[in-house]
Amino acid sequence: DGGITQSPKYLFRKEGQNVTLSCEQNLNHDAMYWYRQDPGQGLRLIYYSQIVNDFQKGDIAEGYSVSREKKESFPLTVTSAQKNPTAFYLCASSIEGYSYEQYFGPGTRLTVT
Amino acid sequence: KQEVTQIPAALSVPEGENLVLNCSFTDSAIYNLQWFRQDPGKGLTSLLLIQSSQREQTSGRLNASLDKSSGRSTLYIAASQPGDSATYLCAATGTASKLTFGTGTRLQVTL
């Protein structure tokens, strides 16, 4: 089955620790995205990548970092610099850029205490 | 800056009723508009994508329309079922190739 996988489903970390969220897709999509979802707010774009070894900041990139070494993988690191990291994180992909339909993974809920 | 609004924030209807969810956007210069479904604690499932040149798209009991000039899109659900209960999100893709999401409409279909 083709799709997007995110792991783990739930993640707990202590404040001050960096944490990496995994996102893998086997859809052969060029573009991948990371979003953050908070209660009562729309999804907000953190980072996106339209091709391997290239990525751009979204609206709320501060305190986050990404890499795109392989077409299938787009891991997100939440650093200790992120002021309020507790949230639901969603990864998505599309064939090419934004004008194409985006497909989403199941999400990772990160809780930092 | 594109802003997307969805009204109402929550809606409860009895099973079998036809219903309309609304989505409005401030910048009419969009590539497309997408409707998604999200179940609690889950990711988003794409329902329909309407390109800027299209007026509507249909999939089963779902029909989405797009009126760029008025900055509006609607999602029509026919003969609602309890399994339709979820949060429905719309998102507009602007000329800057950025997807802007609304905050969603939480739908509950009761027996």
Side-chain angles (χ1 to χ4, degrees):
Chain A
D1 279 336
I4 302 175
T5 57
Q6 291 185 244
S7 61
K9 186 174 175 66
Y10 299 97
L11 192 54
F12 298 88
R13 280 295 182 269
K14 295 288 189 185
E15 193 173 321
Q17 293 179 334
N18 292 352
V19 60
T20 297
L21 282 59
S22 168
C23 177
E24 303 278 332
Q25 55 98 359
N26 60 5
L27 300 168
N28 200 32
H29 286 173
D30 284 319
M32 297 187 73
Y33 315 83
W34 273 106
Y35 294 91
R36 170 181 171 138
Q37 187 175 34
D38 294 282
Q41 297 194 38
L43 276 71
R44 292 180 290 168
L45 182 66
I46 305 172
Y47 267 98
Y48 64 101
S49 168
Q50 300 203 1
I51 196 169
V52 173
N53 292 322
D54 186 48
F55 46 83
Q56 289 80 39
K57 293 180 179 180
D59 296 323
I60 56 167
E62 185 176 350
Y64 299 97
S65 66
V66 293
S67 63
R68 186 87 187 276
E69 297 177 1
K70 297 187 299 182
K71 186 175 184 178
E72 305 79 25
S73 179
F74 191 40
L76 173 74
T77 296
V78 184
T79 75
S80 57
Q82 168 49 232
K83 296 284 188 265
N84 186 18
T86 294
F88 190 49
Y89 291 88
L90 289 158
C91 178
S93 70
S94 64
I95 294 174
E96 293 180 6
Y98 283 104
S99 58
Y100 293 88
E101 189 172 9
Q102 290 194 17
Y103 295 85
F104 282 76
T108 291
R109 184 165 300 281
L110 172 65
T111 302
V112 177
T113 57
Chain B
K1 177 186 171 186
Q2 178 74 278
E3 292 183 4
V4 178
T5 304
Q6 292 185 249
I7 294 173
L11 181 63
S12 181
V13 301
E15 182 180 12
E17 196 162 293
N18 302 326
L19 60 103
V20 174
L21 306 180
N22 297 296
C23 173
S24 61
F25 46 95
T26 55
D27 185 351
S28 62
I30 61 172
Y31 280 136
N32 59 52
L33 189 129
Q34 299 182 47
W35 282 93
F36 297 90
R37 169 185 172 137
Q38 186 176 31
D39 292 289
K42 306 287 187 184
L44 276 64
T45 300
S46 179
L47 297 174
L48 290 163
L49 181 149
I50 312 175
Q51 299 291 356
S52 61
S53 58
Q54 297 174 318
R55 296 282 294 182
E56 64 179 90
Q57 280 282 1
T58 298
S59 176
R61 293 183 294 108
L62 306 179
N63 175 277
S65 67
L66 175 64
D67 185 342
K68 280 179 54 179
S69 61
S70 66
R72 292 183 182 181
S73 176
T74 61
L75 179 67
Y76 174 82
I77 302 177
S80 58
Q81 304 170 357
D84 294 330
S85 299
T87 296
Y88 290 82
L89 298 159
C90 68
T93 305
T95 53
S97 293
K98 179 176 169 294
L99 214 61
T100 302
F101 283 83
T103 53
T105 293
R106 191 171 66 253
L107 172 66
Q108 183 175 11
V109 181
T110 58
L111 291 169

